[in-house]
Amino acid sequence: MKPLCKPHEHFNRRAFLKGSLLTGAGVSVANFGSLFHAQAAVNEAQKKGKRCILLWMNGGASQLDTFDMKPGRPTAGPFRPIGTNVNGLQICEYLPKMAKVADKLAVIRSMRTGSPDHPDGIYHMHTGFKQSERTPHAEIGAVIAKYCGNLDADLPSFVRMGPTGNAGPGYLGPNFAPFSLQRDGRMPTFSTSNLKPEVRERRAELFRFLETEFARQHQAEPFESHRLAKERAWRLLRAREAFDVSEEWPAHKDRYGDSNFGRGCFTALKLIERGVPFVEIGHDNYDSHANNFVCHKANLQQLDPAWSTLLLDLEDRGLLEDTLVVWMGEVGRTPNINNRAGRDHYIRAWSIVLSGSGIKGGQVYGASDEDGRDVAENPVNEGDLFATIYTALGINPRKKHFWGKRPVWLTPEEAKPIAPFLS
Amino acid sequence: MAFIILLLATLSAPAAPLRAVIDREVAQGWKTGKVEPAQLANDATFLRRSYLDLTGTVPTYAEARVFLDDAAKGKRAKLVDRLLTDKRHARHQMQIWDLIIFTRNPANPAFTRKRDAFKNWLEKQFAKNVPWDALVRKMILAEEAGSAMFHVQYRNRPEDETVAVSRIFLGTQLGCARCHDHPFEALTQRDFYGMAGFFVRLQVLQETKGKEKVYTIGEKSSGEVLFTGPAADAVPGKKGEPVAPKFLSGAALDEPDLPKEFKEPDYRKIKKAPYPKPFFSRKEKLAAWITAPENPYFARAAVNRVWAQFMGRGLVHPVDDLKPDSEPSHPALLDALAKEFVAHKFDLSWLMREIVLSESYQRDSAGPGTAAAPKWYERARVRPLSAEEFMAALRVATGFNVAQGLDAKMPNAAGSYMLKIFGKPTDGRGNFQGGVHEHMFLNNGSQLRSLISAKKGNLADTLLKSEAPWDERVDRLFLSTLTRIPSSAEREKLVAYITAKKDDKRVTRARLEESIWALLNSSRFRFNY
């Protein structure tokens, strides 16, 4: 398989930084500080880059009340199905805008997964592996940051907002750790500075002076990694306005819906435009053990405008063909409705939706039985899902890494991408 | 053949201290690897390195001064002797082994997250320099107060405990054999489950005494591991066959039959210690076998780990990959270390002293080559300070809460942030990655600033109040933070920087604090090199 974002196409950070570090403070400042220069190079390197947005339904959305409805069956709830712009595909009445973009959606109705609860399910659905394994697997965001991102970019490669993953970069290391915005879009702890810019500049200049002396004699890799990370933190501070959408937001909030999730989706669009390869937006809270239908009605009304507008805006900008948008949570919900009008966790048959990045839209893969109790055809597990996602992004799903002595692959050996999605 | 005889002769000669053997074998390695050794490190570099390696922190200004001004010969040996009995040494050793055993994300976190009793117990063992075999025996027997936590981590998970015990104390990877016979190695899945048989009967009792949880380990007299064959062939509902316990060496456990009339107590009903004694203790047999001088793995695994702790990489690398056919970078050296360690009754202090006083440990880290830990040890290794070391070093360098000594807390919840941000600084292969998060914390957080900014008695305050010329004050600044005297260019630059507006006290103070910030952020501070 041919990766679409090859490392050698990435801007060579060593070539860029080496000279400047050794030529003394003045030149370094000019080079390091040159946001435009760095940004232009990154844009060039990432032109062909694949990207991914993960819409994370925290708690686990109900497949029976969204994309796999069972009208007339005892497991159906009160929601009615509506038709979509794809012949024969029906979805929930509270997703009317999604119904109009259904031709972009590839729906999996046969997820059968292995971790039934929240922390373990969240881990499993972010890594493709069981949490109990004790190998620190890498989250999907870290993997995509590594293979589609660029360490020389001003912006981090793995951005997330709200309730999201719990595994972190795992064996890939701190370079691929998530940059986690608060759920209302505010910046993470320690990402802003209240020092005057001239103080920061002076400190930076002293730092570079000390490092330049030291680097003459000490060439070991960790030192360089330390200096590059320091410069990256400074560049990030200068580029932080990318995360602030407050000026543009009023013009878009009616389209996306005036919610944290809607604003998160709009922020994701802006970041994807700037070349960030992975953004995850968490949407609370789907864990409807009680009052499932009240919960879902409210949630879907936020989800529907945000998700559909995101897809349309990505398409308008020509980004959808390289941006995979994934809709999923950690579990599905029980076909049986419990005595609190709730649905509990369910992993024997549930749904996930993909679109963009070459995924063929307007189709359904797999099916659940007539009451949604089990998979009727083409079961898909976590490994298959991640193999599909990575393949769509040009990442070899069998790429090998190491945890100490132990080899670790991105997906298990038996994982198979969903072929009809990728053709 | 002649070479081997010669080698054996030299190894058995009692006169040569171990450090001479180390230096001879390492020098031999330079020839094999065709590398040139770096020169020996100067006193300042040795001082900082040995402090960090032996005590987990940097020397205070006063400690540095005394050592550097000492003109006596043999001062390095004197220093090492002092540091090995320093209470910071026991604390540091405890932190290293606690992290090896529990990692940053321990298993069974509800029980193991808080484990002060275990840490105190472990620290005491190192403070008393309890021999390594005795220490491991105690940890497996888990009979002393506080020592139970190792087993607690693997409560009801004998397979995981098998992997951990083999990896940590025997340097051997069994992880693969858990699910399948290893394609290239002699160990089979049955060997794995044979070892698991030693743990399957363990019981963990949790009692609450005041605010503390107290753990007791018991052992049943019955119960076997069930073996179901390769994981790939597993089907739901398939019952396994019981596997008798067997040592990794291949020897089966000689175990008496349980008397017919024996009735196993119901362990679920026991709510108070002590647990009943088992009819026959597998745990005792295992502890004895693991720590026996003739165990082919135990001493080698220990010396390989201790060596890596100081030298940056194991003679077998990674340190937990010893196996019959593994090829150490310096085979004769590994043999000698293990043999002498046993001969010295598993004395850890002695072993560390020999390593640290070898010339091989005392090489400079400067020179060509980008490897963090050169295979042939021609240069000193470079490693990041652990989160704990980094915090301790920041406190010592800035003179924060000096009076509280070892247990001083960091300001503004810095401790929990730093464990999170600096706790796992490497990728899966152990390579350092300077993540952007650690620099966001150092650049923008209030925590480092509050350590630095002038407060009564701290570094900035002392320097501002001093009447000495700024030349001397900058020397003190460098010694306090980087354990070295600045070069003349550095001194000149910093003096000019700090005294740019001599008469404005606020500017001087701000610029001194900026200088401290730059020094604490520099590579020289971040790494043990």
Side-chain angles (χ1 to χ4, degrees), chain B residues 328-353:
Chain B
S329 55
H330 303 65
L333 178 52
L334 183 57
D335 290 344
L337 289 172
K339 181 167 167 265
E340 291 295 306
F341 189 47
V342 174
H344 282 80
K345 304 203 171 3
F346 299 94
D347 181 343
L348 286 169
S349 278
W350 168 82
L351 178 62
M352 292 184 208
R353 187 173 191 275

Side-chain angles (χ1 to χ4, degrees), chain A residues 132 134 170-179 189-195 199 202-207 209-211 213-214 217-223 225-227 229-230 232-234 236-237 402-405, chain B residues 105-107 173 321 365-372 382 417 421 424-429 432-437 439-441 443-445 447 449 489 493 497 511 514-515 517-519 521-524 526-527 529:
Chain A
S132 55
R134 310 276 318 142
Y171 56 73
L172 292 180
N175 273 343
F176 308 100
F179 186 79
T189 322
F190 307 128
S191 61
T192 54
S193 168
N194 53 13
L195 292 179
V199 175
R202 281 210 305 268
R203 290 199 322 193
E205 199 252 343
L206 271 185
F207 171 84
F209 165 79
L210 292 168
E211 290 298 295
E213 286 290 304
F214 184 65
Q217 295 300 321
H218 295 83
Q219 291 158 23
E221 186 80 28
F223 301 130
S225 173
H226 176 72
R227 291 188 282 270
K230 179 63 93 187
R232 225 160 47 236
W234 281 323
L236 173 59
L237 191 66
F402 283 89
W403 174 245
K405 190 63 193 166
Chain B
N105 294 318
Q173 297 279 350
D321 196 30
S365 63
T370 56
V382 175
Y417 280 123
I421 297 171
K424 289 184 265 181
T426 58
D427 67 11
R429 288 211 134 153
F432 175 76
Q433 280 183 5
V436 75
H437 288 76
H439 292 286
M440 285 174 17
F441 175 84
N443 294 356
N444 306 331
Q447 287 79 1
R449 221 174 314 139
K493 168 104 180 169
Y497 184 79
R511 292 193 155 219
E514 286 158 25
S515 305
W517 182 91
L519 289 162
N521 276 268
S522 68
S523 290
R524 286 189 190 273
R526 181 70 184 90
F527 298 97
Y529 64 93

Side-chain angles (χ1 to χ4, degrees), chain A residues 197-318:
Chain A
E198 60 265 29
V199 175
R200 292 206 301 266
E201 270 313 312
R202 281 210 305 268
R203 290 199 322 193
E205 199 252 343
L206 271 185
F207 171 84
R208 289 174 190 134
F209 165 79
L210 292 168
E211 290 298 295
T212 305
E213 286 290 304
F214 184 65
R216 281 188 225 285
Q217 295 300 321
H218 295 83
Q219 291 158 23
E221 186 80 28
F223 301 130
E224 196 194 31
S225 173
H226 176 72
R227 291 188 282 270
L228 291 171
K230 179 63 93 187
E231 297 295 344
R232 225 160 47 236
W234 281 323
R235 286 205 308 274
L236 173 59
L237 191 66
R238 285 192 294 266
R240 72 186 179 283
E241 91 291 346
F243 297 96
D244 181 9
V245 298
S246 54
E247 267 185 38
E248 287 176 85
W249 178 237
H252 297 272
K253 76 176 174 192
D254 288 343
R255 297 167 57 240
Y256 280 84
D258 192 4
S259 64
N260 282 340
F261 183 71
R263 187 178 162 127
C265 286
F266 181 64
T267 309
L269 173 80
K270 304 308 286 180
L271 293 172
I272 291 286
E273 272 188 310
R274 297 274 303 249
V276 173
F278 181 87
V279 185
E280 174 171 1
I281 312 122
H283 193 205
D284 256 340
N285 62 64
Y286 285 88
D287 196 19
S288 48
H289 293 283
N291 297 324
N292 173 71
F293 305 101
V294 180
C295 260
H296 273 73
K297 185 174 167 184
N299 288 344
L300 298 184
Q301 284 174 346
Q302 291 188 345
L303 176 70
D304 185 51
W307 184 7
S308 57
T309 310
L310 175 64
L311 292 178
L312 291 170
D313 281 358
L314 283 168
E315 189 174 47
D316 272 357
R317 288 160 174 75

Side-chain angles (χ1 to χ4, degrees), chain A residues 108 115 131 280 321 360 375:
Chain A
I108 307 167
S115 297
Q131 191 171 27
E280 174 171 1
E321 60 190 87
K360 218 169 137 242
V375 169

Side-chain angles (χ1 to χ4, degrees), chain B residues 416-478:
Chain B
S416 57
Y417 280 123
M418 290 187 72
L419 278 182
K420 216 166 122 192
I421 297 171
F422 294 82
K424 289 184 265 181
T426 58
D427 67 11
R429 288 211 134 153
N431 301 311
F432 175 76
Q433 280 183 5
V436 75
H437 288 76
E438 70 173 67
H439 292 286
M440 285 174 17
F441 175 84
L442 296 171
N443 294 356
N444 306 331
S446 65
Q447 287 79 1
L448 180 57
R449 221 174 314 139
S450 68
L451 282 170
I452 291 173
S453 63
K455 279 185 210 76
K456 197 165 188 298
N458 77 357
L459 175 63
D461 182 58
T462 307
L463 292 175
L464 288 169
K465 286 195 178 134
S466 162
E467 312 243 299
W470 271 104
D471 271 19
E472 288 173 24
R473 286 191 252 177
V474 165
D475 284 4
R476 177 166 185 163
L477 172 61
F478 269 74

